[in-house]
Amino acid sequence: MLCQFSFQNFKSYKGETTFDMQASAISEFENSLITKDKCSNLLPVSVIYGPNGGGKTNLLRALACVISAVVKPIHDLEKNRKSLIMQLKVGAEPFLFDNESAEEPTEFRLFFRTREYEYRYYLATLKDEIYAETLDRKTIRGKKPARIFYREGEDITLGSILKKENVNTSVNVKMPFLSFLAINYNIPVIADVQEWFESCIVRNYANPMAEMEIMVADDIELKKQIIGLLNDMGIDIDDYRFDDKEQQLYLKRRIGNAEYELPFGNESDGTKKLIAALPVLIVALQEGRLVIIDELDAKLHPKLLRYVISMFKNPKVNKNGAQLIFTSHDMATMKNTVFRRDEIWFAALDDNHSSEIYSLYEIRREDNERVNSTAAFDKQYLEGRYGADPYLQNMLNGGG
């Protein structure tokens, strides 16, 4: 489970930026939180809004970048422990609107939780080489973290756990030491971290090709779940099959006493999206995975988007701590009946053309009070009160 993600000098982001999945001390949707004794409560869902070019997508790309940096070398050598689902390779491009950033490292900090431990992983890259890297671990209820390893350039210092394993510290300057350890050794602490990275799912639904990446379940029970959820969402089908010879998916419907099959290509865009997305989302919910999706709302009816969000926010469905992070332009779901204030984030450019993010819970009104939990979030956003879309605000004020 992701607790917090920080990064700097990445694409449109110059300064240190922090995206937090730790729940604030507010009362909205308390029953939907991911809880564990003596640990901070975590959010099951977060959404990022903002204008085009404001940095929404780049926030998700930053997260995808550090995940893929660790996982790709492992997967290329077929040493992964979990099945990978749609992980995108993203390069670490520095902020380009000044003369210094290109010569400075891009930095990532991940704070995440597994069943028994909390980890902090730091990775800094410069011109496709590993500049620095650190991994720390502590038990869920522990106070003091233990250093697993520390790397600065080509110098690597091992913590006590790795010293006992007599590991090699000669590693390619382009490969994370974490990946090197996962590939070459069977060390429980490294395996635990490796499996967390490999469990992350990264997709981009703004890309039309993603709709063709259909996951057809072989598992009968999983297939029943998919059909049941499609029916719950108003897409009335009785079955589906994939024709290997034609490389085509067919959806089956029974009308009266007759059964009809339609090829996947004849379905609506919304149905295509759900057929493509549901297997991924169900696997995430079953296995407690993190799902990162750019523009989940593209071509998806707001009611269906609400249904997807509700699955992650329902503890009876989300029993294993799955999390969903996505970007959206859909105002119909920016409601206090759908999200907590700390689940809504905004991305926008500052005066120096650098992206910044902030949650709705962080915003203060003119009287220095927080936005009320009962406020009309969508209406206030369109009025420009949250500062994340100056274009809309300018239009509403009569500007060009």
Side-chain angles (χ1 to χ4, degrees), residues 151-165:
R151 175 184 188 178
E152 188 170 359
E154 296 183 10
D155 297 326
I156 297 176
T157 303
L158 303 179
S160 58
I161 293 174
L162 294 186
K163 282 180 179 178
K164 298 174 185 177
E165 301 289 341

Side-chain angles (χ1 to χ4, degrees), residues 50 65 90-91 195 212 220 263:
C65 182
V90 179
E195 289 185 10
M212 302 308 295
I220 294 175

Side-chain angles (χ1 to χ4, degrees), residues 160-172:
S160 58
I161 293 174
L162 294 186
K163 282 180 179 178
K164 298 174 185 177
E165 301 289 341
N166 194 30
V167 302
N168 184 2
T169 56
S170 297
V171 58
N172 190 299

Side-chain angles (χ1 to χ4, degrees), residues 183-353:
I183 291 167
N184 292 287
Y185 300 93
N186 185 20
I187 303 170
V189 60
I190 300 301
D192 195 30
V193 174
Q194 174 188 350
E195 289 185 10
W196 183 86
F197 274 94
E198 290 173 352
S199 72
C200 298
I201 301 169
V202 184
R203 294 203 74 177
N204 178 4
Y205 282 122
N207 177 3
M209 292 303 295
E211 292 175 353
M212 302 308 295
E213 295 171 350
I214 305 163
M215 295 178 58
V216 181
D218 293 325
D219 186 297
I220 294 175
E221 288 303 314
L222 182 57
K223 188 175 183 179
K224 285 181 179 178
Q225 278 190 279
I226 293 169
I227 293 170
L229 283 173
L230 287 170
N231 285 316
D232 287 346
M233 294 179 179
I235 299 170
D236 187 19
I237 69 167
D238 294 286
D239 198 1
Y240 62 80
R241 69 176 180 89
F242 187 77
D243 190 301
D244 290 315
K245 185 177 180 180
E246 297 181 20
Q247 289 294 294
Q248 175 69 270
L249 180 73
Y250 287 91
L251 303 188
K252 297 182 180 181
R253 293 175 173 87
R254 179 169 291 280
I255 301 175
N257 295 323
E259 187 176 77
Y260 300 89
E261 282 192 339
L262 282 180
F264 181 73
N266 287 12
E267 299 291 340
S268 69
D269 287 338
T271 300
K272 290 177 186 177
K273 175 70 68 60
L274 280 172
I275 295 288
L278 272 181
V280 173
L281 296 172
I282 291 172
V283 168
L285 288 164
Q286 286 181 337
E287 300 182 5
R289 295 190 180 213
L290 169 65
V291 188
I292 303 158
I293 301 180
D294 194 20
E295 297 196 21
L296 177 59
D297 61 310
K299 302 180 189 173
L300 200 61
H301 191 282
K303 288 184 178 179
L304 301 183
L305 180 58
R306 283 193 187 199
Y307 194 99
V308 169
I309 294 166
S310 71
M311 288 195 298
F312 281 81
K313 291 175 71 87
N314 184 347
K316 293 181 180 178
V317 177
N318 186 5
K319 299 177 181 179
N320 295 307
Q323 293 172 296
L324 172 65
I325 301 172
F326 68 100
T327 64
S328 179
H329 290 283
D330 179 40
M331 295 296 99
T333 52
M334 191 190 284
K335 305 282 189 183
N336 58 39
T337 54
V338 178
F339 294 113
R340 292 163 49 101
R341 286 168 291 171
D342 54 358
E343 291 175 332
I344 296 175
W345 289 75
F346 302 103
L349 295 178
D350 64 17
D351 294 337
N352 296 315
H353 213 73

Side-chain angles (χ1 to χ4, degrees), residues 48-61:
I48 305 101
Y49 294 99
N52 290 328
K56 300 187 306 297
T57 295
N58 283 342
L59 169 60
L60 300 195
R61 283 177 178 166

